[in-house]
Every structure is written in structure tokens, then in C-alpha cells.
Amino acid sequence: MYDYQGKVVWVTGSSRGIGEACIKKFASCHASVVIHFHKERKRALEVQKLIEEEYHVPTLLVQGDISKEEDVKRMVNEVISHFKRIDVLVNNAAISRDSYIAEKTRSEFLEVLDVNLIGTFLMTKYVAEHMISNESGNIIFIASTNGIDTNNVWSLDYDASKAGILSIMRNFSLQYAPTLRVNSVAPGWVDTESVLEMNPDIYQVEKEKCLLKRFALPEEIASVVCFVASSEASYINNSIIRVDGGIV
């Protein structure tokens, strides 16, 4: 197990899915954790309660829309005021508005880009300022194989946003080297709540494309994220780590 004692880890969108699994994994490694949510306060409070009872680490709950610059600035100030530092940022928060191309609207497309791409940019920009002042830090982008080479016609806006995340990751890694390490973890299909609700026939077809013949558990993605942010991965930088079970 990695030891994050004394480190402050912030995972955006950590009230459910991959984000929830990540924040719990870091807490299990003794990190102080920042639990972020936008709308699901009850769910976030449940995650906070579980972490405090099971792992006995300091926690902070922050609420905000990462696509709004004023929200991002406010949340960063709250975290710095409370913990005085941020050591790891995991840019996980994202949305999808799946529909076929002919049905997709401009407003839906922009909403996905605003949250997934612009929101990730804003979070990284303002958190990195404090990391640079502390002369250390790790930033991890939760991307997707959909931003690399596994596209779906109903999610071209989501796919485009994830491809954009890989692009800005490279630029941030260049900007902040050698002080910060900046990397991406790119999952394939993951058994989150929303995925488990998908059409069973599509689920089976997609599962058969994977060499392991199953989707990932959120905890399997979290384990990779926790490793990449750790000192054990100290020479990994500007990299994209695929966690997709071998999609063909």
C-alpha cells in the first residue's frame, strides 16, 4: 500500500463512480481528502461519513460547478484555507449527453465541452498555481480510450472532450516540468452505475470486444490512479496509461 500520510488529495466528481473509488483509495492510504460534488450533496455526505468512519483521515467537502471559473476559484480558496496545500489533483468530474449525431444539439455539445474540457482546464490552472508555490505536486487527468481510438457515434462530444483532455495534459506537463508530474489515466468501459443501466445487448457486445471479457471495476481504475500519483511512479510523466482490459 502507498503511504500518503500528510498529503492532501482532491478528486473532482468524487461522490460516485470512478471518483468515489479514487477518493476512498487515497483515504485508505492515509491521505487527507477533498471530496467534491456539484449537485449530489446527500451522496457526497455519505462518502465523507464512510471515509471518516472507516479510514479516520481528515476530510473536506466542497461543492461547485467546475465549468464556472468563480466556483473553481472559490473551491481552491476553501481547500487552501482548510488544508494549506494540495498535493494531488485528480481531474475526474465529467458528464455525457449521449445521443446520435442527427439528434445532438449545439447546447448539449457545448455543455459537455464546458464541464469535461474547460472545467478540467480551470481546475488544473488554479490548483497548479499552489502546487508550484510548494514546489511539488501531481496532477492526473481521467481521460478515456474514447479520446484515443474507441469511439462511439452517440458520444462524439464526449469523445472530443476526452481527446482534448489528452492534448491539454501534454501542454500542462510541458508548462510545469520538472516541478510537477502531469499524467492521464485512460479507462475503457467501467462498471459504474450509469454503465450498468445501459441496454443489456449493447453491454454484451462491448464486453466481447475486451480481451478480458468484462468491464473494469471502479476500484481497478482507482488503484492505477493511486499508483501514478505515488512516489513509486516518480519517473512517469506526460504519459497516457490505458486501463481497458485489452480492447480490440
Side-chain angles (χ1 to χ4, degrees), residues 10-12 89-93 119-120 123-124 139-143:
W10 186 354
V11 180
T12 63
L89 170 66
V90 180
N91 283 306
N92 167 76
T120 296
M123 283 295 306
T124 305
I139 300 171
I140 297 176
F141 295 76
I142 302 300

Side-chain angles (χ1 to χ4, degrees), residues 64-83:
D65 181 347
I66 64 168
S67 71
K68 298 188 185 317
E69 193 164 19
E70 61 272 21
D71 277 19
V72 172
K73 289 180 177 180
R74 172 183 52 77
M75 289 190 294
V76 171
N77 287 336
E78 288 176 10
V79 175
I80 294 299
S81 176
H82 187 85
F83 283 124

Side-chain angles (χ1 to χ4, degrees), residues 20-245:
E20 179 183 353
C22 285
I23 207 74
K24 289 178 179 176
K25 181 67 176 179
F26 280 108
S28 76
C29 297
H30 316 298
S32 300
V33 295
V34 181
I35 303 159
H36 163 257
F37 72 99
H38 179 202
K39 297 179 179 178
E40 297 188 335
R41 178 176 293 275
K42 181 181 177 182
R43 182 71 175 259
L45 285 167
E46 290 171 354
V47 172
Q48 183 182 36
K49 183 173 184 289
L50 184 151
I51 286 174
E52 290 178 344
E53 291 179 350
E54 187 165 343
Y55 303 115
H56 310 289
V57 298
T59 68
L60 176 67
L61 200 66
V62 295
Q63 183 276 334
D65 181 347
I66 64 168
S67 71
K68 298 188 185 317
E69 193 164 19
E70 61 272 21
D71 277 19
V72 172
K73 289 180 177 180
R74 172 183 52 77
M75 289 190 294
V76 171
N77 287 336
E78 288 176 10
V79 175
I80 294 299
S81 176
H82 187 85
F83 283 124
K84 312 304 180 189
R85 62 187 296 124
I86 303 167
D87 297 286
V88 178
L89 170 66
V90 180
N91 283 306
N92 167 76
I95 62 170
S96 62
R97 295 288 183 262
D98 291 351
S99 60
Y100 287 104
I101 293 172
E103 301 166 354
K104 198 170 293 291
T105 67
R106 181 178 186 275
S107 61
E108 288 173 342
F109 203 117
L110 288 174
E111 182 187 15
V112 171
L113 292 182
D114 270 347
V115 175
N116 298 6
L117 187 56
I118 304 303
T120 296
F121 158 72
L122 292 171
M123 283 295 306
T124 305
K125 174 184 176 181
Y126 288 109
V127 169
E129 291 177 356
H130 293 278
M131 290 180 169
I132 289 294
S133 67
N134 286 333
E135 299 184 340
S136 69
N138 267 279
I139 300 171
I140 297 176
F141 295 76
I142 302 300
S144 171
T145 56
N146 279 38
I148 306 172
D149 58 9
T150 58
N151 308 107
N152 292 303
V153 295
W154 59 82
S155 62
L156 83 163
D157 44 4
Y158 177 85
D159 300 354
S161 73
K162 292 298 185 176
I165 281 174
L166 296 177
S167 177
I168 65 172
M169 180 274 292
R170 296 186 185 97
N171 283 286
F172 274 120
S173 68
L174 291 171
Q175 176 69 39
Y176 296 125
T179 307
L180 309 184
R181 288 195 299 115
V182 183
N183 293 287
S184 289
V185 172
W189 286 105
V190 182
D191 272 336
T192 58
E193 291 176 20
S194 59
V195 168
L196 291 171
E197 293 171 357
M198 71 190 296
N199 183 296
D201 293 333
I202 296 176
Y203 185 99
Q204 188 62 34
V205 168
E206 294 298 323
K207 188 171 70 171
E208 287 303 312
K209 295 178 183 178
C210 178
L211 296 180
L212 295 183
K213 304 304 180 188
R214 66 177 179 85
F215 290 179
L217 298 174
E219 291 76 17
E220 291 176 303
I221 309 303
S223 292
V224 176
V225 171
C226 194
F227 163 70
V228 173
S230 76
S231 59
E232 297 294 313
S234 57
Y235 205 61
I236 297 177
N237 196 28
N238 190 26
S239 294
I240 304 166
I241 296 93
R242 295 181 69 124
V243 191
D244 62 8

